[in-house]
Amino acid sequence: MEKKTEYTSYLQNSADDALFNYRKRKSSEVKIGKLTLGGEAPIRIQSMANTDTNDTESSVAQCIRIIEAGGELVRFTAQGVKEATNLNAIHTQLREKGYQTPLVADIHFNPKAADTAAQYVEKVRINPGNFIDSVHTNKRFEYTNEEYKQELDKIRTRLLPFLQICKEHHTAVRIGVNHGSLSDRILSRYGDTPHGMVESCMEFLRICKTENFNDVVISIKASNSVIMVQTVRLLSASMQAEGMSYPLHLGVTEAGDGEDGRIKSAVGIGALLADGIGDTIRVSLSEDPECEIPVAKHLASYISERAGHEHICGSDSRKIDPFSYHKRDTEAVNNIGGTKQPIVIAPFARYTGLTPDYLYCGTKRKGEEEGKQTGKLIMDFDQWEGEENTYPLFNNSNMGKIKETDAAIKFLETSLSETDDKLFDNIDKKVVLILKTNHKNGVGEQRAIFHLLLAKGIKNPVVIKRSYNEESIESLQIKAGADSGLFFIDGLGDGIWIDDTRIEPQKTTSVAFGILQAARVRVSKTEFISCPSCGRTLFDLQSTIAKIKARTSHLKGLKIGIMGCIVNGPGEMADADYGYVGSAKGKVNLYKGQTCIEKLIPEEQAVERLIQLIKENGDWTDK
């Protein structure tokens, strides 16, 4: 199947300009209590409680906080039948207090708990990786076709009674696949791949379709935003190929907290929402659940504003594979493009910590402002005089001077309306293109330029530039992550330039570096893969993350997983260098990669022991 067909299939739109013009994916409608999800409904916002599900009073109180923050669905973990049964008490108290928000039960390993919960709440989430199958036991590595079919028959036999209970009680089902909890059976045939994640989901969907059970929502998540985006795209294409259009729940698992958690979520979720994919979202932050809601609402609202935008003329080059990463072929200009890591451009200012690769000083002369640091500078062409480490910036009005100018790097700022044959005739191999946009759907407009470059065989490096006027740094993190991350996930960008008239350059630069790290193209700091906490969490997650960050945040490039329990923990931190995972109440297991090194360490000793483990393996440096 050629890439063009794959791309339009995953977008569920056969128009040649589907890549560039925002249209929400057409999904089937699901009723969850009194809430409609999918179809023509807006993007729904949800979160997950982290209280003990057996503690009715605390659970109800937290649920109300989530609802009053704007949450439209609230999920609770149900480890066993006892917890699943107590969801009835939580549900009853909420209704008595006047709250009609649907509740969702989160089930792992225990089909009986799913059967019970389906009688009391509006939706039940089951995980195909552990509903029947075994997770990561490594006991089976090969299945014959007949053995594989027998395992599928087991799933069908156990799933049908559950679906019948759901039909009787008008309970919706979420089939929720997690990258960290694929079964041995799936891993044996497909490996730890997007294809394996999709097939794990499709096995259950085919049973639902055969049984005419249509109140189904799907999620397919990973802590790696690139894998998450590619896998959801592949799932969308796979469903369409089999005549399915179930609504999609989006989320990046273990996104973390603070700036990292917001940017990582905006990059992953935003990339899919930009393509019109997604009917409900959960931003998974290692913070209080109600803190997730404003972030999710802001992201969903920002993307939805693109509806009905001015049409963008573009043509699919058929040279981008949406399901796997391939870096756009570029010819390096100095340290930009080619095999070099993406650069960061930022305004001329004094920086500490993360420092941009190039500083734009506009009409200012080098060193003009006393006390400001200097380095590699970009100047407007009419101010450039050829000084060392300074480079000219051209625009549409003076691009005719490009070939006459002798500079190691020549920057040319352009937009879709300015990108024509005249531009291509004037650029040479020393030009780095800077793509700007003021379009309501800037993602679509900038994407159209990339496809034009690919179609014409233009190999000049490209920097993504976005300008904002935000009141808060959180708003910038969300918008910039959603606008720019997609281009690095798809291997298109060679640099990033985030500008904001209200926010100081040091902070905008941190956002730019954060986007590159979230898209897995440039590592500039320690990466913390931390879960959002739930009723299964076995230690105080927020305080533990703070302690570990305080001790290890200077270890640039190291990945540390901090997981509340073993359900998804070891799997979701699959590419982490070290892991800190709750194994029992107040007890922690420590990992080096995927290998458990120490078990059942008392929580009060575990952070110090983690530091020692990092030192023993030669990955420690002093601050």
Side-chain angles (χ1 to χ4, degrees):
M1 185 181 292
E2 59 179 307
K3 288 187 174 71
K4 172 64 178 179
T5 307
E6 288 176 345
Y7 229 128
T8 54
S9 177
Y10 107 80
L11 288 173
Q12 293 199 325
N13 192 314
S14 60
D16 187 57
D17 64 357
L19 282 166
F20 319 112
N21 293 281
Y22 175 79
R23 299 179 183 91
K24 192 171 181 296
R25 169 181 171 266
K26 294 180 181 179
S27 59
S28 55
E29 188 177 281
V30 173
K31 286 289 186 181
I32 307 173
K34 296 182 179 180
L35 183 78
T36 300
L37 192 151
E40 299 298 322
I43 298 167
R44 301 300 188 182
I45 307 302
Q46 58 180 285
S47 184
M48 184 173 184
N50 61 13
T51 53
D52 181 347
T53 309
N54 290 313
D55 185 343
T56 305
E57 184 176 341
S58 295
S59 296
V60 169
Q62 187 179 77
C63 190
I64 291 172
R65 292 196 296 274
I66 294 171
I67 294 168
E68 293 185 344
E72 297 173 281
L73 295 100
V74 181
R75 181 160 43 117
F76 287 90
T77 187
Q79 301 98 310
V81 172
K82 181 181 178 182
E83 289 81 4
T85 301
N86 200 58
L87 286 171
N88 187 31
I90 296 170
H91 191 277
T92 300
Q93 283 202 21
L94 282 168
R95 300 298 174 262
E96 289 174 350
K97 293 175 181 291
Y99 295 94
Q100 301 301 318
T101 302
L103 300 187
V104 185
D106 192 68
I107 308 294
H108 293 273
F109 303 110
N110 197 332
K112 290 184 179 179
D115 294 343
T116 302
Q119 302 173 53
Y120 302 126
V121 297
E122 287 81 4
K123 186 168 76 167
V124 176
R125 178 272 175 105
I126 59 173
N127 184 343
N130 56 38
F131 187 72
I132 296 295
D133 282 337
S134 299
V135 178
H136 296 311
T137 62
N138 295 320
K139 293 179 180 177
R140 288 291 302 273
F141 294 99
E142 293 183 6
Y143 290 79
T144 66
N145 289 339
E146 182 58 33
E147 288 173 332
Y148 202 92
K149 182 180 179 301
Q150 289 172 1
E151 294 300 309
L152 291 177
D153 289 341
K154 288 180 184 178
I155 292 174
R156 180 180 181 83
T157 299
R158 184 59 186 89
L159 186 61
L160 291 184
F162 169 66
L163 293 181
Q164 185 58 40
I165 294 171
C166 291
K167 285 181 180 180
E168 291 171 2
H169 291 84
H170 305 288
T171 306
V173 173
R174 169 152 75 97
I175 297 173
V177 178
N178 276 60
H179 191 207
S181 55
L182 294 177
S183 69
D184 275 349
R185 180 178 57 80
I186 287 291
L187 291 171
S188 73
R189 181 154 294 193
Y190 300 98
D192 184 13
T193 64
H195 193 184
M197 294 171 70
V198 169
E199 187 59 26
S200 179
C201 183
M202 294 298 293
E203 290 176 351
F204 278 64
L205 288 181
R206 291 178 190 121
I207 296 172
C208 291
K209 184 179 179 181
T210 300
E211 295 302 310
N212 198 31
F213 183 87
N214 298 315
D215 286 328
V216 178
V217 182
I218 313 158
S219 67
I220 192 159
K221 297 184 180 183
S223 60
N224 181 322
S225 57
V226 179
I227 290 176
M228 174 260 194
V229 170
Q230 292 169 351
T231 306
V232 174
R233 286 172 173 172
L234 183 60
L235 175 63
S236 181
S238 300
M239 281 200 295
Q240 185 171 358
E242 297 192 29
M244 303 175 185
S245 57
Y246 301 110
L248 283 158
H249 166 132
L250 304 182
V252 178
T253 60
E254 284 74 49
D257 63 352
E259 178 175 87
D260 293 342
R262 284 155 178 78
I263 291 176
K264 193 172 184 181
S265 295
V267 166
I269 298 172
L272 292 165
L273 291 179
D275 284 336
I277 295 175
D279 300 279
T280 178
I281 65 174
R282 188 234 173 150
V283 172
S284 299
L285 301 177
S286 300
E287 302 173 18
D288 292 337
E290 56 267 33
C291 295
E292 298 178 348
I293 300 300
V295 180
K297 287 176 66 177
H298 196 150
L299 177 57
S301 174
Y302 180 57
I303 300 294
S304 297
E305 289 171 2
R306 299 173 188 176
H309 64 72
E310 181 181 351
H311 185 265
I312 298 169
C313 293
S315 182
D316 188 346
S317 66
R318 308 188 186 194
K319 294 184 178 180
I320 299 176
D321 183 350
F323 309 130
S324 61
Y325 178 84
H326 298 284
K327 179 74 172 64
R328 172 176 166 258
D329 185 18
T330 59
E331 295 181 0
V333 179
N334 204 303
N335 69 328
I336 308 173
T339 59
K340 308 293 184 181
Q341 63 184 6
I343 63 160
V344 173
I345 300 175
F348 188 61
R350 175 168 292 281
Y351 293 89
T352 57
L354 292 172
T355 304
D357 302 286
Y358 291 84
L359 303 175
Y360 171 66
C361 60
T363 60
K364 298 183 182 69
R365 305 305 303 152
K366 183 177 179 180
E368 180 181 324
E369 294 186 19
E370 185 177 354
K372 295 292 180 70
Q373 72 180 36
T374 59
K376 292 182 178 179
L377 302 182
I378 300 173
M379 294 182 177
D380 291 340
F381 173 68
D382 59 2
Q383 295 292 312
W384 182 73
E385 295 179 356
E387 301 102 323
E388 184 179 1
N389 286 328
T390 65
Y391 307 98
L393 175 65
F394 297 85
N395 55 41
N396 191 54
S397 66
N398 55 30
M399 73 169 72
K401 299 289 185 180
I402 289 177
K403 289 189 175 180
E404 303 172 12
T405 303
D406 183 21
I409 309 172
K410 293 175 275 190
F411 293 92
L412 172 59
E413 192 171 72
T414 189
S415 64
L416 183 60
S417 62
E418 300 167 341
T419 307
D420 53 21
D421 289 338
K422 180 183 175 183
L423 180 144
F424 297 131
D425 290 341
N426 278 284
I427 63 176
D428 58 34
K429 291 186 176 182
K430 292 184 178 181
V431 171
V432 174
L433 295 172
I434 296 178
L435 301 190
K436 62 180 179 180
T437 179
N438 292 315
H439 197 279
K440 189 176 182 180
N441 182 15
V443 168
E445 186 176 75
Q446 290 182 319
R447 190 184 241 172
I449 300 177
F450 275 110
H451 280 269
L452 181 59
L453 297 175
L454 287 164
K456 287 185 170 290
I458 304 297
K459 295 187 177 182
N460 295 70
V462 174
V463 173
I464 300 295
K465 182 181 181 183
R466 294 302 300 257
S467 299
Y468 302 92
N469 183 34
E470 300 305 309
E471 293 183 356
S472 71
I473 186 62
E474 180 177 89
S475 181
L476 179 65
Q477 292 161 356
I478 294 166
K479 291 184 176 182
D483 287 336
S484 301
L486 170 73
F487 296 104
F488 299 97
I489 286 175
D490 285 340
L492 298 174
D494 300 288
I496 187 170
W497 182 349
I498 302 297
D499 200 12
D500 194 293
T501 56
R502 297 189 185 185
I503 295 175
E504 62 185 81
Q506 183 74 61
K507 292 182 179 179
T508 62
T509 298
S510 180
V511 171
F513 277 105
I515 291 169
L516 297 182
Q517 182 141 334
R520 302 294 180 112
V521 292
R522 180 171 180 176
V523 177
S524 55
K525 51 189 175 182
T526 315
E527 180 170 350
F528 297 96
I529 305 167
S530 58
C531 70
S533 181
C534 69
R536 296 185 300 267
T537 302
L538 296 167
F539 54 82
D540 186 327
L541 189 69
Q542 292 185 46
S543 65
T544 300
I545 292 171
K547 290 175 186 176
I548 293 175
K549 279 190 169 184
R551 300 291 302 277
T552 63
S553 59
H554 66 290
L555 301 175
K556 176 181 175 180
L558 209 63
K559 297 186 185 75
I560 300 175
I562 309 167
M563 302 295 172
C565 74
I566 60 172
V567 171
N568 290 320
E572 290 296 354
M573 61 174 201
D575 63 348
D577 300 296
Y578 296 91
Y580 181 110
V581 180
S583 53
K585 194 69 176 178
K587 303 290 183 179
V588 173
N589 289 359
L590 295 181
Y591 288 73
K592 173 71 174 74
Q594 283 288 284
T595 304
C596 185
I597 303 299
E598 293 189 53
K599 294 183 178 181
L600 299 174
I601 302 170
E603 183 184 349
E604 59 271 18
Q605 302 173 19
V607 173
E608 200 60 45
R609 188 65 197 96
L610 173 66
I611 303 304
Q612 187 60 35
L613 180 63
I614 296 172
K615 290 181 178 180
E616 289 171 359
N617 284 274
D619 290 322
W620 181 267
T621 57
D622 291 329
K623 290 185 180 181

PDB file of all heavy atoms in Angstrom, residues 360-383:
ATOM      1  N   TYR A 360      19.134  35.850  18.123  1.00  0.00           N
ATOM      2  CA  TYR A 360      18.668  36.841  17.152  1.00  0.00           C
ATOM      3  C   TYR A 360      18.705  38.214  17.807  1.00  0.00           C
ATOM      4  O   TYR A 360      18.054  38.463  18.823  1.00  0.00           O
ATOM      5  CB  TYR A 360      17.246  36.521  16.695  1.00  0.00           C
ATOM      6  CG  TYR A 360      16.646  37.624  15.856  1.00  0.00           C
ATOM      7  CD1 TYR A 360      17.170  37.924  14.602  1.00  0.00           C
ATOM      8  CD2 TYR A 360      15.555  38.366  16.320  1.00  0.00           C
ATOM      9  CE1 TYR A 360      16.632  38.936  13.828  1.00  0.00           C
ATOM     10  CE2 TYR A 360      15.006  39.376  15.554  1.00  0.00           C
ATOM     11  CZ  TYR A 360      15.551  39.666  14.310  1.00  0.00           C
ATOM     12  OH  TYR A 360      15.019  40.665  13.544  1.00  0.00           O
ATOM     13  N   CYS A 361      19.506  39.110  17.231  1.00  0.00           N
ATOM     14  CA  CYS A 361      19.612  40.451  17.811  1.00  0.00           C
ATOM     15  C   CYS A 361      18.968  41.514  16.920  1.00  0.00           C
ATOM     16  O   CYS A 361      19.042  42.708  17.230  1.00  0.00           O
ATOM     17  CB  CYS A 361      21.065  40.806  18.099  1.00  0.00           C
ATOM     18  SG  CYS A 361      22.142  40.799  16.663  1.00  0.00           S
ATOM     19  N   GLY A 362      18.363  41.109  15.816  1.00  0.00           N
ATOM     20  CA  GLY A 362      17.636  42.058  14.978  1.00  0.00           C
ATOM     21  C   GLY A 362      18.524  43.171  14.463  1.00  0.00           C
ATOM     22  O   GLY A 362      19.493  42.930  13.748  1.00  0.00           O
ATOM     23  N   THR A 363      18.205  44.386  14.882  1.00  0.00           N
ATOM     24  CA  THR A 363      18.975  45.554  14.421  1.00  0.00           C
ATOM     25  C   THR A 363      20.050  45.953  15.414  1.00  0.00           C
ATOM     26  O   THR A 363      20.787  46.898  15.171  1.00  0.00           O
ATOM     27  CB  THR A 363      18.033  46.744  14.207  1.00  0.00           C
ATOM     28  OG1 THR A 363      17.384  47.061  15.445  1.00  0.00           O
ATOM     29  CG2 THR A 363      16.986  46.421  13.154  1.00  0.00           C
ATOM     30  N   LYS A 364      20.169  45.263  16.553  1.00  0.00           N
ATOM     31  CA  LYS A 364      21.183  45.611  17.549  1.00  0.00           C
ATOM     32  C   LYS A 364      22.567  45.209  17.055  1.00  0.00           C
ATOM     33  O   LYS A 364      22.742  44.205  16.387  1.00  0.00           O
ATOM     34  CB  LYS A 364      20.898  44.915  18.885  1.00  0.00           C
ATOM     35  CG  LYS A 364      19.582  45.309  19.543  1.00  0.00           C
ATOM     36  CD  LYS A 364      19.449  44.614  20.890  1.00  0.00           C
ATOM     37  CE  LYS A 364      18.127  44.958  21.557  1.00  0.00           C
ATOM     38  NZ  LYS A 364      16.989  44.359  20.848  1.00  0.00           N
ATOM     39  N   ARG A 365      23.560  45.979  17.408  1.00  0.00           N
ATOM     40  CA  ARG A 365      24.924  45.644  17.071  1.00  0.00           C
ATOM     41  C   ARG A 365      25.474  44.679  18.110  1.00  0.00           C
ATOM     42  O   ARG A 365      25.040  44.652  19.256  1.00  0.00           O
ATOM     43  CB  ARG A 365      25.817  46.892  17.021  1.00  0.00           C
ATOM     44  CG  ARG A 365      25.306  47.968  16.093  1.00  0.00           C
ATOM     45  CD  ARG A 365      25.083  47.453  14.682  1.00  0.00           C
ATOM     46  NE  ARG A 365      26.298  46.884  14.133  1.00  0.00           N
ATOM     47  CZ  ARG A 365      26.323  45.930  13.221  1.00  0.00           C
ATOM     48  NH1 ARG A 365      25.202  45.425  12.770  1.00  0.00           N
ATOM     49  NH2 ARG A 365      27.466  45.461  12.756  1.00  0.00           N
ATOM     50  N   LYS A 366      26.446  43.907  17.701  1.00  0.00           N
ATOM     51  CA  LYS A 366      27.063  42.944  18.599  1.00  0.00           C
ATOM     52  C   LYS A 366      27.646  43.641  19.823  1.00  0.00           C
ATOM     53  O   LYS A 366      28.431  44.580  19.709  1.00  0.00           O
ATOM     54  CB  LYS A 366      28.155  42.181  17.852  1.00  0.00           C
ATOM     55  CG  LYS A 366      28.822  41.091  18.669  1.00  0.00           C
ATOM     56  CD  LYS A 366      29.841  40.356  17.822  1.00  0.00           C
ATOM     57  CE  LYS A 366      30.540  39.281  18.627  1.00  0.00           C
ATOM     58  NZ  LYS A 366      31.540  38.555  17.817  1.00  0.00           N
ATOM     59  N   GLY A 367      27.227  43.207  21.010  1.00  0.00           N
ATOM     60  CA  GLY A 367      27.753  43.768  22.244  1.00  0.00           C
ATOM     61  C   GLY A 367      27.210  45.126  22.582  1.00  0.00           C
ATOM     62  O   GLY A 367      27.712  45.791  23.472  1.00  0.00           O
ATOM     63  N   GLU A 368      26.185  45.586  21.882  1.00  0.00           N
ATOM     64  CA  GLU A 368      25.667  46.933  22.077  1.00  0.00           C
ATOM     65  C   GLU A 368      25.107  47.130  23.470  1.00  0.00           C
ATOM     66  O   GLU A 368      25.309  48.176  24.085  1.00  0.00           O
ATOM     67  CB  GLU A 368      24.597  47.213  21.027  1.00  0.00           C
ATOM     68  CG  GLU A 368      23.975  48.594  21.117  1.00  0.00           C
ATOM     69  CD  GLU A 368      22.909  48.786  20.047  1.00  0.00           C
ATOM     70  OE1 GLU A 368      23.097  48.275  18.932  1.00  0.00           O
ATOM     71  OE2 GLU A 368      21.894  49.434  20.331  1.00  0.00           O
ATOM     72  N   GLU A 369      24.396  46.113  23.952  1.00  0.00           N
ATOM     73  CA  GLU A 369      23.804  46.236  25.280  1.00  0.00           C
ATOM     74  C   GLU A 369      24.783  45.711  26.328  1.00  0.00           C
ATOM     75  O   GLU A 369      25.105  44.535  26.351  1.00  0.00           O
ATOM     76  CB  GLU A 369      22.486  45.466  25.348  1.00  0.00           C
ATOM     77  CG  GLU A 369      21.408  46.064  24.445  1.00  0.00           C
ATOM     78  CD  GLU A 369      20.078  45.389  24.643  1.00  0.00           C
ATOM     79  OE1 GLU A 369      19.903  44.739  25.685  1.00  0.00           O
ATOM     80  OE2 GLU A 369      19.221  45.522  23.758  1.00  0.00           O
ATOM     81  N   GLU A 370      25.230  46.591  27.194  1.00  0.00           N
ATOM     82  CA  GLU A 370      26.226  46.222  28.189  1.00  0.00           C
ATOM     83  C   GLU A 370      25.705  45.101  29.092  1.00  0.00           C
ATOM     84  O   GLU A 370      24.570  45.116  29.528  1.00  0.00           O
ATOM     85  CB  GLU A 370      26.566  47.436  29.055  1.00  0.00           C
ATOM     86  CG  GLU A 370      27.687  47.172  30.046  1.00  0.00           C
ATOM     87  CD  GLU A 370      28.042  48.408  30.843  1.00  0.00           C
ATOM     88  OE1 GLU A 370      27.485  49.476  30.537  1.00  0.00           O
ATOM     89  OE2 GLU A 370      28.859  48.289  31.755  1.00  0.00           O
ATOM     90  N   GLY A 371      26.554  44.131  29.319  1.00  0.00           N
ATOM     91  CA  GLY A 371      26.203  43.033  30.212  1.00  0.00           C
ATOM     92  C   GLY A 371      25.490  41.884  29.531  1.00  0.00           C
ATOM     93  O   GLY A 371      25.293  40.851  30.134  1.00  0.00           O
ATOM     94  N   LYS A 372      25.094  42.057  28.272  1.00  0.00           N
ATOM     95  CA  LYS A 372      24.427  40.967  27.577  1.00  0.00           C
ATOM     96  C   LYS A 372      25.457  40.035  26.962  1.00  0.00           C
ATOM     97  O   LYS A 372      26.464  40.488  26.413  1.00  0.00           O
ATOM     98  CB  LYS A 372      23.500  41.524  26.487  1.00  0.00           C
ATOM     99  CG  LYS A 372      22.332  42.356  27.036  1.00  0.00           C
ATOM    100  CD  LYS A 372      21.359  41.487  27.794  1.00  0.00           C
ATOM    101  CE  LYS A 372      20.197  42.289  28.341  1.00  0.00           C
ATOM    102  NZ  LYS A 372      19.305  42.745  27.289  1.00  0.00           N
ATOM    103  N   GLN A 373      25.211  38.747  27.052  1.00  0.00           N
ATOM    104  CA  GLN A 373      26.171  37.797  26.501  1.00  0.00           C
ATOM    105  C   GLN A 373      26.091  37.784  24.981  1.00  0.00           C
ATOM    106  O   GLN A 373      25.088  38.135  24.383  1.00  0.00           O
ATOM    107  CB  GLN A 373      25.920  36.406  27.056  1.00  0.00           C
ATOM    108  CG  GLN A 373      24.682  35.718  26.531  1.00  0.00           C
ATOM    109  CD  GLN A 373      24.519  34.342  27.143  1.00  0.00           C
ATOM    110  OE1 GLN A 373      24.832  34.139  28.300  1.00  0.00           O
ATOM    111  NE2 GLN A 373      24.013  33.404  26.372  1.00  0.00           N
ATOM    112  N   THR A 374      27.180  37.418  24.355  1.00  0.00           N
ATOM    113  CA  THR A 374      27.221  37.315  22.900  1.00  0.00           C
ATOM    114  C   THR A 374      27.624  35.903  22.524  1.00  0.00           C
ATOM    115  O   THR A 374      28.091  35.122  23.334  1.00  0.00           O
ATOM    116  CB  THR A 374      28.223  38.324  22.299  1.00  0.00           C
ATOM    117  OG1 THR A 374      29.515  38.053  22.832  1.00  0.00           O
ATOM    118  CG2 THR A 374      27.809  39.748  22.620  1.00  0.00           C
ATOM    119  N   GLY A 375      27.460  35.561  21.278  1.00  0.00           N
ATOM    120  CA  GLY A 375      27.796  34.233  20.783  1.00  0.00           C
ATOM    121  C   GLY A 375      27.546  34.232  19.301  1.00  0.00           C
ATOM    122  O   GLY A 375      27.851  35.198  18.603  1.00  0.00           O
ATOM    123  N   LYS A 376      26.935  33.185  18.802  1.00  0.00           N
ATOM    124  CA  LYS A 376      26.565  33.163  17.394  1.00  0.00           C
ATOM    125  C   LYS A 376      25.305  33.995  17.215  1.00  0.00           C
ATOM    126  O   LYS A 376      24.255  33.678  17.769  1.00  0.00           O
ATOM    127  CB  LYS A 376      26.333  31.715  16.942  1.00  0.00           C
ATOM    128  CG  LYS A 376      27.614  30.880  16.929  1.00  0.00           C
ATOM    129  CD  LYS A 376      27.338  29.478  16.436  1.00  0.00           C
ATOM    130  CE  LYS A 376      28.633  28.673  16.374  1.00  0.00           C
ATOM    131  NZ  LYS A 376      28.392  27.289  15.911  1.00  0.00           N
ATOM    132  N   LEU A 377      25.428  35.063  16.452  1.00  0.00           N
ATOM    133  CA  LEU A 377      24.338  36.017  16.334  1.00  0.00           C
ATOM    134  C   LEU A 377      23.711  35.999  14.943  1.00  0.00           C
ATOM    135  O   LEU A 377      24.397  35.828  13.940  1.00  0.00           O
ATOM    136  CB  LEU A 377      24.842  37.440  16.621  1.00  0.00           C
ATOM    137  CG  LEU A 377      25.489  37.689  17.980  1.00  0.00           C
ATOM    138  CD1 LEU A 377      25.873  39.153  18.101  1.00  0.00           C
ATOM    139  CD2 LEU A 377      24.546  37.294  19.102  1.00  0.00           C
ATOM    140  N   ILE A 378      22.407  36.211  14.916  1.00  0.00           N
ATOM    141  CA  ILE A 378      21.671  36.390  13.669  1.00  0.00           C
ATOM    142  C   ILE A 378      21.206  37.832  13.620  1.00  0.00           C
ATOM    143  O   ILE A 378      20.575  38.325  14.563  1.00  0.00           O
ATOM    144  CB  ILE A 378      20.456  35.443  13.609  1.00  0.00           C
ATOM    145  CG1 ILE A 378      20.910  33.983  13.703  1.00  0.00           C
ATOM    146  CG2 ILE A 378      19.657  35.664  12.325  1.00  0.00           C
ATOM    147  CD1 ILE A 378      19.762  32.989  13.827  1.00  0.00           C
ATOM    148  N   MET A 379      21.553  38.534  12.537  1.00  0.00           N
ATOM    149  CA  MET A 379      21.181  39.949  12.379  1.00  0.00           C
ATOM    150  C   MET A 379      20.351  40.140  11.122  1.00  0.00           C
ATOM    151  O   MET A 379      20.504  39.403  10.151  1.00  0.00           O
ATOM    152  CB  MET A 379      22.432  40.827  12.248  1.00  0.00           C
ATOM    153  CG  MET A 379      23.301  40.901  13.470  1.00  0.00           C
ATOM    154  SD  MET A 379      24.690  42.027  13.166  1.00  0.00           S
ATOM    155  CE  MET A 379      25.475  41.995  14.762  1.00  0.00           C
ATOM    156  N   ASP A 380      19.471  41.136  11.150  1.00  0.00           N
ATOM    157  CA  ASP A 380      18.772  41.510   9.930  1.00  0.00           C
ATOM    158  C   ASP A 380      19.800  41.863   8.864  1.00  0.00           C
ATOM    159  O   ASP A 380      20.838  42.476   9.156  1.00  0.00           O
ATOM    160  CB  ASP A 380      17.847  42.696  10.191  1.00  0.00           C
ATOM    161  CG  ASP A 380      16.676  42.325  11.082  1.00  0.00           C
ATOM    162  OD1 ASP A 380      16.371  41.124  11.184  1.00  0.00           O
ATOM    163  OD2 ASP A 380      16.066  43.234  11.673  1.00  0.00           O
ATOM    164  N   PHE A 381      19.518  41.503   7.636  1.00  0.00           N
ATOM    165  CA  PHE A 381      20.495  41.660   6.553  1.00  0.00           C
ATOM    166  C   PHE A 381      21.029  43.085   6.432  1.00  0.00           C
ATOM    167  O   PHE A 381      22.225  43.299   6.222  1.00  0.00           O
ATOM    168  CB  PHE A 381      19.861  41.227   5.229  1.00  0.00           C
ATOM    169  CG  PHE A 381      20.725  41.518   4.034  1.00  0.00           C
ATOM    170  CD1 PHE A 381      21.921  40.835   3.839  1.00  0.00           C
ATOM    171  CD2 PHE A 381      20.346  42.484   3.110  1.00  0.00           C
ATOM    172  CE1 PHE A 381      22.732  41.113   2.740  1.00  0.00           C
ATOM    173  CE2 PHE A 381      21.148  42.752   2.008  1.00  0.00           C
ATOM    174  CZ  PHE A 381      22.337  42.071   1.819  1.00  0.00           C
ATOM    175  N   ASP A 382      20.150  44.080   6.593  1.00  0.00           N
ATOM    176  CA  ASP A 382      20.612  45.463   6.413  1.00  0.00           C
ATOM    177  C   ASP A 382      21.511  45.939   7.546  1.00  0.00           C
ATOM    178  O   ASP A 382      22.088  47.023   7.477  1.00  0.00           O
ATOM    179  CB  ASP A 382      19.431  46.411   6.228  1.00  0.00           C
ATOM    180  CG  ASP A 382      18.464  46.383   7.400  1.00  0.00           C
ATOM    181  OD1 ASP A 382      18.734  45.654   8.382  1.00  0.00           O
ATOM    182  OD2 ASP A 382      17.443  47.090   7.354  1.00  0.00           O
ATOM    183  N   GLN A 383      21.659  45.137   8.617  1.00  0.00           N
ATOM    184  CA  GLN A 383      22.561  45.476   9.720  1.00  0.00           C
ATOM    185  C   GLN A 383      23.827  44.626   9.723  1.00  0.00           C
ATOM    186  O   GLN A 383      24.781  44.926  10.427  1.00  0.00           O
ATOM    187  CB  GLN A 383      21.829  45.273  11.057  1.00  0.00           C
ATOM    188  CG  GLN A 383      20.655  46.204  11.276  1.00  0.00           C
ATOM    189  CD  GLN A 383      21.098  47.641  11.458  1.00  0.00           C
ATOM    190  OE1 GLN A 383      22.009  47.923  12.232  1.00  0.00           O
ATOM    191  NE2 GLN A 383      20.465  48.551  10.736  1.00  0.00           N
TER     192      GLN A 383
END
